[in-house]
Amino acid sequence: MKVRHEMKIGALIAAAIGFSVTPALAHTPLFSCYDNGDGTVLCEGGFSDGASASNVPVKVRNGNGETLNEGKMDENSEFEFDKPDGAYSVLFDGGEGHQIEVPGDEIVE
């Protein structure tokens, strides 16, 4: 009976160690935007594990942080908008720890 109890404790310790060294199954957001050259900007998103970014919120903000346009990534994980005048940025909001903001001056053809 004592051996059986010790085996259970050993199994619990082994499980605890196994869970503590198992890498997190995290995924990293991916987000890029391109100037289409026709007055519009196309952004594409996704996650490093291949997950879709469909329905992930996106905001286009001016240089003061005010929201100019907002929507969600479509079924192809894309979001297209009219390029604003002046300074702007595009925020991909995949949730806490999964946000990427691309400054407008880094969006090129």
Side-chain angles (χ1 to χ4, degrees):
M1 178 112 165
K2 185 176 179 181
V3 171
R4 190 172 184 186
H5 178 71
E6 289 175 356
M7 288 177 62
K8 284 184 181 178
I9 291 174
L12 287 173
I13 291 171
I17 292 171
F19 285 121
S20 67
V21 297
T22 302
L25 298 175
H27 59 189
T28 302
L30 306 169
F31 188 62
S32 297
C33 296
Y34 309 94
D35 185 334
N36 289 326
D38 63 357
T40 63
V41 174
L42 175 67
C43 297
E44 301 172 330
F47 294 93
S48 60
D49 64 355
S52 169
S54 177
N55 290 318
V56 169
V58 177
K59 287 184 180 177
V60 180
R61 299 191 288 200
N62 67 15
N64 296 324
E66 299 166 338
T67 300
L68 301 173
N69 189 351
E70 62 185 315
K72 293 183 177 182
M73 303 295 282
D74 68 14
E75 65 276 358
N76 295 320
S77 298
E78 295 178 343
F79 181 77
E80 189 171 47
F81 59 93
D82 291 333
K83 182 179 176 180
D85 294 328
Y88 71 99
S89 63
V90 187
L91 175 67
F92 174 91
D93 189 2
E96 186 175 329
H98 294 89
Q99 295 178 329
I100 297 176
E101 188 159 15
V102 178
D105 60 357
E106 293 181 10
I107 299 172
V108 295
E109 289 184 43

